[in-house]
Amino acid sequence: MKRFATIMEQKNTHMEHLEDIVFDGGVDGARQSIQFLIKLRDSLSGYSKQKINATIKWDGAPAIFVGKDPSDGQFFVAKKGIFNKTPKVYKTDAEVDADTSGDLSVKLKTALKKLKGMQFDGVLQGDFLYTASDLKTATVGGVKYITFHPNTIVYAVPYNSSLGKRIRNSSMGVVWHTAYSGRSFESMSASYGGINVKKLDKIRDVFMADADFNDVSGNALMTADETKAVTTALSKAGKAFRKVNARSLNLIANNKDLNGLLKVYQNRLIKTKGVMIKNPNAHAKGLINYLLDYEKKELAKRKTDRGKGQFALKFKPVKEWMANTAPSQIAAMYALQMYIVEAKLLIINKMDQASKLKTFLKTNKGWRITGEEGYVAIDRISGAVKLVDRLEFSYANFSPDVIKGWQTDLRR
């Protein structure tokens, strides 16, 4: 049974990781992150009266928008340039060819031709999965699959299953995750999930799917031990939260430069060392060293006293935060994030068990099983956030051993 309610939000061009809301929203953000996980745990345990919903983050490419231009009623396809100050939309093959080339041009023109007959109001955003030429076959573990490899993840469906036959007989595939309404592109607001594909699916040779995560309290139902493990992680997060200095945490949320530097530090560790947070004290010490090194390098780049002075003035709030925030307080913030990530990964692993499709990475050493790219958790009150295994996602994106869709014969 599908349990889903839509939520109106800003345009779906960027969404934060759940644990980053701790720094983006300060005390309120930390509380929101924990509440998100509590509601998801309760939904997955099957006893929640207040459901939090989720959509699957498909690893499709490119992102695609389709609809009728509010200004003239003409059908169009678009990339994310639809929300530029001057919206960039394509209504003819000639307009596509003038702005794109290669595989992207083929996909946009296919969508322009095939989706024109869909009946819906507003604008839809989704991820392109494949055209017919992208479909390949592969045998993994003795099972024959029909596969498509739009980006990093390879999606596989048993070749002779009803879904496999449907995909084999289609000219393109797309997954829809966001709907927009409004009188102009500029004023449109987004509604995540809840797109009724059955009403859209009037085109026989186009495979369309929605991104809704189905049976949150059914196929992915947590056992008592699994629920206990999540509860334990959340309890640790709560204890860490009580040790955090509210003023120091809120200063991160209110200072764009400081917030950005903390994220750069974290993302570098994930990308280069495959590390989130293992030891909060060591992580805090590493941050302080990173910020001091950053200041030193930036001052060295500036050759004049004026330039050095301008940077020093801009960096002053960061230095004041460092001076007024004890290392133990920074460690408490990272401990809070660490336990939020621990609970998040337990939930992601459970949700992956209810996946509709097999997902693999194609590596130089053969096939490797992986989970979905991630999920978007949606709460009517708090909004929408990303639930992603960042270490796995970083490995898949940056490892030279993982063959991407644009590098492999699965796309040729």
Side-chain angles (χ1 to χ4, degrees), residues 58-59 129-130 134-141 143-150 152-161 163-165 167-168 207 355-362 367-372 410:
W58 288 66
D59 189 34
L129 300 178
Y130 62 83
D134 299 324
L135 296 174
K136 304 296 177 183
T137 59
T139 300
V140 184
V143 179
K144 185 178 180 180
Y145 294 99
I146 185 77
T147 66
F148 49 94
H149 191 181
T152 301
I153 293 174
V154 179
Y155 292 94
V157 181
Y159 189 83
N160 289 317
S161 67
L163 180 58
K165 292 176 181 177
I167 289 173
R168 282 158 45 199
F207 169 72
S355 177
K356 298 176 183 178
L357 305 180
K358 291 285 186 181
T359 48
F360 299 97
L361 298 177
K362 186 173 176 62
W367 298 97
R368 168 176 163 170
I369 296 174
T370 189
E372 299 282 359
L410 290 176

Side-chain angles (χ1 to χ4, degrees), residues 179 280 401:
D401 294 330

